[in-house]
Amino acid sequence: MTTETLDRTSDRTLTATPQDIRRALLVGSEIALIDVREEHEFAQGHPLFAAQIPLRRIDEEARWRIPRLDTPVIIYDDGEGLARKAAVRFEGLGYTDVRELEGGLNAWREAGYELFEDVNSYSKAFGELVEHRRHTPSLAAEEVQALIREKADIAILDARRYDEYNTMSIPTGTSVPGAELVLRARTIAPDPDTTIIVNCAGRTRSIIGTQSLVNAGLPNPIFALRNGTIGWTLAGQELETGQTRVAPEVDNRSAEDARAHARDVAYRAGVKRIGWEELEELKADKARTLYLYDVRQPREYESGHLPGFRNAQGGQLVQETDHNAPVRGARIVVTDDIGPRADMTASWLAQLGWEVFVLDVDWSAVTLEKGPDGAPGPRGPEGRYKRPYEGTDNKAAAMQAYLDWEYGLVAQLERDGTHGFFVI
């Protein structure tokens, strides 16, 4: 996007057209397309690579989510009058290239471009593309229930965050958040004849988790639980609540085996490996946005992490990339102290179209920082979009509508034409 394509609407604010934004996405320029409405309104429809920062949260969230102050930031609303206020707010924080989407979201509609519903839409669309391209194996809820009833040799691995698992889970399931799967699955199911079933709340994380194990060459029969806990509930089957089963610790031999397989997957995805010198060079490049993420579990991160790295569990980083890295076209460096979690996370980010690196260094030679990530806390019940897969009181019609929406995402990606995803 060049300044020649922009028009000044006031002494303060420049504008960008939908065509400017699409062009930037297609050529890979850095761009932060920010919806400043509340999450509920955002979830009703937005461009594929839009990220959401409500007007009331700009001061708390902008600086860590868009770290480079000269990033092209395009702000829009849907006629509510929020965009101009948001532009002033961003400029007050020091951002120097702030523009409004000319005509707002309606201009995007009138240009004939796709609008995507829900949240984390492009990660979910990618998950559907993975299943479409790789024919990721899955079992229906009724089939899994029958296996549990028969006391078959199965291991159900829940790929969500632990708190989601603890709220409600598939009977006999164990919490193994996404990026932990390749590291810990062999310890949980050492017998190659044990059938591994990966679940999440809906579809994306179970598809990505299952395909991670397949990509890493586990010898077991591996399946996703089709439609996750939503499918389980729609089948009229009971969920457990308050469960605390977690994966056991991994011995050195298992960790080394997982490291080798995960590294191979990352290599096939085109992930680059760097050391300290290369990281410093990336940091020194002030023309590019750089995100640094430690992809381990929060308790591990808090006990000691590399300076400058924020915490985002690997599975959630892939699931919620728009939240953790809203600048499309930026660079991402991921790390973990063992290796497999960073490699598997990076393999998926690369397929999502990111320039991604794994920092591969000796952690024992570094003075680690301790304590939690310094990101702002939760946004609160206000303006939040209620996911149809959260909690235990969701209506069947809403859950089915959510699944139907996911089924249509591959076709929407094709119509949109800006994604740049690939599947190994």
Side-chain angles (χ1 to χ4, degrees), residues 270-281:
V271 173
K272 301 168 186 174
R273 313 187 70 77
I274 61 173
W276 290 119
E277 291 185 6
E278 293 85 2
L279 177 61
E280 291 305 316
E281 289 184 17

Side-chain angles (χ1 to χ4, degrees), residues 321-400:
T321 319
D322 59 325
H323 180 78
N324 292 294
V327 181
R328 187 64 177 170
R331 291 166 169 161
I332 303 176
V333 177
V334 294
T335 193
D336 84 86
D337 59 341
I338 302 175
R341 296 168 288 195
D343 280 320
M344 292 308 300
T345 302
S347 76
W348 290 118
L349 291 173
Q351 293 172 76
L352 276 161
W354 292 92
E355 185 178 2
V356 59
F357 306 83
V358 169
L359 179 64
D360 191 3
V361 296
D362 179 7
W363 282 48
S364 65
V366 183
T367 301
L368 301 179
E369 296 181 346
K370 295 188 177 182
D373 190 304
R379 294 178 174 183
E382 183 182 349
R384 188 174 184 275
Y385 167 66
K386 175 68 161 61
R387 282 77 164 160
Y389 46 81
E390 289 182 320
T392 57
D393 60 347
N394 297 298
K395 292 185 175 12
M399 291 189 286
Q400 186 60 58

